[in-house]
């Protein structure tokens, strides 16, 4: 009964949802990690993908003219 009286006197206070914590620039996927991109962790498919990424980066269209 005391809770009911308190609600009548003070009302109900609704709190907002808790805020999500932002961890800054943390890498969450393997695809963005340096070793995975360069294929350094030993996986054959990662080395193959790294080779394709390097070829793409070296294309003439990827270089900005000055």
């Amino acid at each position: 009964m005391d809770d009911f009286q308190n609600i009548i006197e003070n009302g109900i206070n609704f709190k907002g949802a808790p805020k999500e914590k932002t961890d800054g620039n943390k890498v969450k996927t393997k695809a963005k990690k340096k070793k995975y991109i360069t294929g350094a962790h030993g996986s054959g498919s990662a080395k193959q993908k790294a080779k394709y990424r390097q070829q793409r980066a070296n294309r003439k269209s990827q270089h900005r003219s000055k």
Side-chain angles (χ1 to χ4, degrees):
M1 194 68 176
D2 187 42
D3 292 334
F4 185 71
Q5 188 66 29
N6 187 20
I7 292 172
I8 291 174
E9 291 175 3
N10 300 324
I12 299 174
N13 186 10
F14 293 100
K15 295 179 182 175
K19 303 287 183 190
E20 284 189 28
K21 294 180 181 178
T22 55
D23 293 335
N25 293 331
K26 284 193 175 180
V27 178
K28 292 187 177 183
T29 60
K30 283 184 186 177
K32 293 181 183 178
K33 291 184 179 176
K34 172 77 173 150
K35 286 187 177 183
Y36 193 82
I37 289 173
T38 57
H41 67 283
S43 167
S45 67
K47 288 179 182 177
Q48 188 73 18
K49 288 179 182 180
K51 182 179 110 179
Y52 292 141
R53 285 188 188 102
Q54 192 62 41
Q55 287 174 350
R56 187 184 323 131
N58 290 334
R59 286 184 193 149
K60 189 174 182 181
S61 63
Q62 298 299 317
H63 296 281
R64 301 280 181 220
S65 60
K66 294 181 181 179

